[in-house]
Every structure is written in structure tokens, then in C-alpha cells.
Amino acid sequence: KKDYIFKNIDLTIKKGETLFLGGDSGSGKTTFINLLMGLINPSQGQIFIDGKKNLEDNYNNLKIGYISQNTLLLDDTIKNNIVFGKENANHFDNYKKAINISGVNKLNEEINFSDDMDIGEQGNKISGGQRQRIAIARVILQNPKIVIFDEATSSLDAKSEELIQESMTNLLKNRTSIIISHRFSSIQHVKNIFVISNGQIIQSGSHKELISKDGHYRELASFQF
């Protein structure tokens, strides 16, 4: 007998839509993201993006931007961390737009910000919120069609999370996006919330709809509100 992580998952995400994926640890959220990003292949079923099935052949065209809790940073300057690996990223207008949208330009209010400031190994000279804004600026330069936030604010305090939410909102304009988080306070505006439990979607709807019903979402959210 073969055990499956997912059972009867049938989900459509419209272009430009923001979707929130919630659930307990181990419910399958990260595996769901790995499937979408083509890091693992489904043993059964199919995944289509823009009507195309073969994700490996089309991955470079899809440009999926991924921001996680643990941002990979170089022991280098702020600018070099943002433009790393991006074509035409050193063009002044592109870089300027990225730091403005992400809120990196506001770092001057918190630290002695300059483009050539060295952030240290894994960004140990700056805060978690500052590291996440650099990660968002990096994704803006990538200009992806799809953006995935995987617990991107889970290790931040409330003030830092609020600043990152503003940067996230700017990034997500006119993009398809998927947000995974254990925190429910930041996604009350999201209309499309899906709750996963034991590899199945057990609830879907807006925050207002789901919080008004007895169910797993209300149970999870009750611990935070």
C-alpha cells in the first residue's frame, strides 16, 4: 500500500490572484510549493501553469520568485546582494525601482544606509526585517510572473512584519501570488484562503467567511486573535 501526501487536491489559481495557504505543521504546505516550483514531480495527477504541463521546459519563462523565512545573503554590499545573478540589474533605473518598491530605501531611517554598505555573513550586521526587504528587492529585479512567500515573516516582530507587509503589497501588484504563513493577522484582506489538513483542502473562502464558521481555520486563528 502506498501512502500519498496529497489526496484529491483540485485547485485553480487565476492570473493576478493572491492565495493564502494555511494549516498545521506537516499538513503539506511546503510540499505543495515544491510541486509548483517543479522541485518534485507528482506521482499522479497533473500541474498546469499558463496551460503548459511540462514545468521543467517552461520554468525559465515562468520566473517564479521565492521568498522564504531564511534568506540567502552574501557577505557583500547591499547592492551586490540585490543585483546578484540578474541580467541588466546594474542599470540604475531598475535598481532604484527595486529598492523603492521593496522599502530598502527606507533603511536610512534605521541604519546608516548606503548601497556599498557591507551586511556581513548571512546579513548578520542588519535585522531580520532588513534582510527580508533586500530579498524582496532581489525578486522585484527578477520580475517574476508568480511570487511565493513561504513563512517570510514568521521570525519577525510585529513592527518589522508590518513594514514587510507594505513591501509585499507593492511587490504583489499585478502578479499571481501564494502566501504560506502560520500567522493569520497579516492575511485578513486575502479573499482566497485555503486550509490544508492531512494532505487535503478542508476549507476555502475569505477570512470573514471562514472565521464565522466552526472549523479548522477558526480553531487555528483563535490562538492568535
Side-chain angles (χ1 to χ4, degrees):
K1 182 181 178 182
K2 188 171 183 177
D3 293 325
Y4 291 97
I5 296 174
F6 292 121
K7 312 175 194 72
N8 304 319
I9 295 287
D10 186 4
L11 178 62
T12 299
I13 305 172
K14 297 178 182 178
K15 185 176 180 179
E17 185 175 76
T18 296
L19 176 147
F20 173 77
L21 205 61
D24 297 307
S25 296
S27 59
K29 301 187 299 296
T30 298
T31 303
F32 181 86
I33 294 305
N34 289 339
L35 284 165
L36 282 185
M37 295 180 67
L39 299 177
I40 56 177
N41 295 315
S43 55
Q44 290 185 15
Q46 297 174 332
I47 299 172
F48 292 88
I49 300 181
D50 280 349
K52 299 173 182 176
K53 177 183 174 185
N54 193 332
L55 300 184
E56 292 182 4
D57 291 346
N58 297 293
Y59 182 78
N60 290 330
N61 294 325
L62 289 172
K63 290 187 177 180
I64 298 177
Y66 179 75
I67 300 173
S68 67
Q69 177 182 347
N70 300 310
T71 302
L72 178 62
L73 296 173
L74 308 174
D75 186 359
D76 207 331
T77 65
I78 288 177
K79 183 175 182 179
N80 285 344
N81 267 281
I82 292 173
V83 305
F84 178 74
K86 307 295 187 300
E87 294 181 7
N88 302 318
N90 281 296
H91 189 284
F92 180 78
D93 290 341
N94 292 340
Y95 172 73
K96 201 71 176 176
K97 179 180 179 181
I99 66 171
N100 287 339
I101 294 175
S102 65
V104 169
N105 62 331
K106 296 180 181 178
L107 292 182
N108 202 38
E109 302 168 11
E110 305 161 23
I111 57 176
N112 188 20
F113 167 73
S114 66
D115 294 334
D116 59 357
M117 172 187 172
D118 190 282
I119 62 173
E121 186 176 354
Q122 278 298 310
N124 60 16
K125 294 182 181 179
I126 57 178
S127 72
Q130 291 160 356
R131 290 193 290 269
Q132 290 301 69
R133 274 178 274 177
I134 289 173
I136 290 172
R138 184 187 286 172
V139 169
I140 291 169
L141 276 180
Q142 183 185 345
N143 194 26
K145 296 180 179 179
I146 300 170
V147 180
I148 297 172
F149 286 90
D150 189 355
E151 299 287 1
T153 63
S154 63
S155 62
L156 304 181
D157 57 53
K159 183 178 179 180
S160 297
E161 182 180 18
E162 185 177 345
L163 291 169
I164 295 303
Q165 289 298 330
E166 181 181 349
S167 300
M168 287 171 61
T169 300
N170 292 333
L171 169 61
L172 299 183
K173 288 177 181 176
N174 303 316
R175 303 183 199 274
T176 305
S177 55
I178 301 169
I179 301 171
I180 292 179
S181 178
H182 284 97
R183 295 187 179 182
F184 294 89
S185 57
S186 60
I187 50 88
Q188 296 182 47
H189 64 286
V190 179
K191 296 179 181 178
N192 303 289
I193 297 172
F194 291 83
V195 183
I196 291 183
S197 180
N198 296 320
Q200 298 184 79
I201 296 175
I202 59 171
Q203 283 186 290
S204 63
S206 68
H207 169 78
K208 186 176 181 180
E209 291 169 342
L210 295 177
I211 204 71
S212 66
K213 304 174 183 176
D214 286 330
H216 200 50
Y217 180 86
R218 183 173 177 177
E219 179 184 347
L220 292 171
S222 66
F223 293 107
Q224 299 180 33
F225 294 116

